[in-house]
Amino acid sequence: MRKARSKQQFDALTRPWRDRLFGVALRQTQSREVAEDWTQEALLRAWRDFAQLTDQVAVYAWLLKILNRVVADDVRRNARRDQLAPMLTTGDAFLQEQACTSAGPFEQTVQTQSNEQFMKAVQALPDNFRQVVLLRDVEGLNYQEVGEVLDIAQGTVMSRLSRGRRLLASLLIRTESADGLAATSIHGGKPT
């Protein structure tokens, strides 16, 4: 009887968050099947550790924290962390051209991209940057919540978010530049 009651409580607390949890997982992979597996594994781990949930108000953050561990475990298991994307530095020409009062490269570039282009670029980010960018900029969590979900300090969240945004802007700028060059060569030197 007690186990049935716990199952009902677990379902009542997690059901409202399952679709959002799947959305977070899906944004971290290009495979719907992998996202489903990650979500299912996160919910299984949550059920296993349900007795450890002390703050029933923070269920979504708790589920995100578990999902983050599932993703990290799977990524390590499949050895996908081999490559790191190049970092932009303050010496890069594009960043130097930006006036202090204008929108930064991240904001300018994101505004010109489709959701598909944006998510493709997010997928190309190294895991530790991708997770912070997704949780902060897509999911809207504050720095403290992101830190709790990822088990990192708030300063680390801010650092990774800054570097992740720069990497994302760089990827989007390169995509935009490559698309512009392709359009110019296709139409006889005239941009479309």
Side-chain angles (χ1 to χ4, degrees):
M1 184 68 156
R2 187 172 186 202
K3 190 169 187 165
R5 179 172 288 166
S6 290
K7 176 76 170 126
Q8 290 173 342
Q9 286 177 319
F10 179 80
D11 284 341
L13 289 171
T14 60
R15 186 170 307 282
W17 304 111
R18 290 178 184 177
D19 288 338
R20 279 188 75 185
L21 197 65
F22 173 73
V24 171
L26 187 59
R27 284 188 285 278
Q28 293 194 49
T29 182
Q30 295 178 346
S31 168
R32 188 170 188 81
E33 292 79 21
V34 171
E36 288 171 351
D37 289 346
W38 287 347
T39 303
Q40 183 177 18
E41 178 64 23
L43 289 169
L44 286 171
R45 288 185 190 184
W47 169 247
R48 186 187 65 212
D49 298 336
F50 185 53
Q52 295 176 3
L53 178 63
T54 56
D55 182 6
Q56 294 185 356
V57 175
V59 173
Y60 184 55
W62 178 66
L63 289 171
L64 284 173
K65 189 173 189 175
I66 293 170
L67 177 66
N68 179 59
R69 288 183 185 142
V70 167
V71 171
D73 290 348
D74 193 50
V75 167
R76 272 192 298 275
R77 191 177 311 115
N78 294 315
R80 292 186 211 164
R81 289 188 173 212
D82 296 349
Q83 299 177 356
L84 292 176
M87 292 296 302
L88 281 177
T89 65
T90 56
D92 288 316
F94 184 81
L95 292 177
Q96 294 297 326
E97 295 172 5
Q98 301 302 312
C100 293
T101 57
S102 68
F106 179 75
E107 292 83 6
Q108 286 179 350
T109 307
V110 167
Q111 292 169 0
T112 64
Q113 303 299 312
S114 70
N115 191 42
E116 182 181 328
Q117 291 168 319
F118 177 77
M119 290 313 298
K120 191 179 279 188
V122 168
Q123 291 297 321
L125 292 174
D127 292 335
N128 55 350
F129 299 126
R130 181 179 66 241
Q131 291 169 336
V132 172
V133 169
L134 283 172
L135 292 175
R136 177 69 182 113
D137 292 337
V138 177
E139 288 300 311
L141 273 65
N142 64 37
Y143 295 125
Q144 181 179 353
E145 292 169 330
V146 173
E148 288 173 6
V149 168
L150 299 177
D151 274 337
I152 57 177
Q154 192 170 338
T156 305
V157 170
M158 291 186 286
S159 172
R160 287 185 185 175
L161 181 62
S162 175
R163 292 177 69 189
R165 285 175 174 169
R166 286 187 310 208
L167 281 170
L168 185 58
S170 174
L171 290 168
L172 291 170
I173 290 166
R174 288 183 193 136
T175 301
E176 194 173 81
S177 296
D179 290 346
L181 288 174
T184 300
S185 63
I186 290 171
H187 297 288
K190 295 180 183 175
T192 56

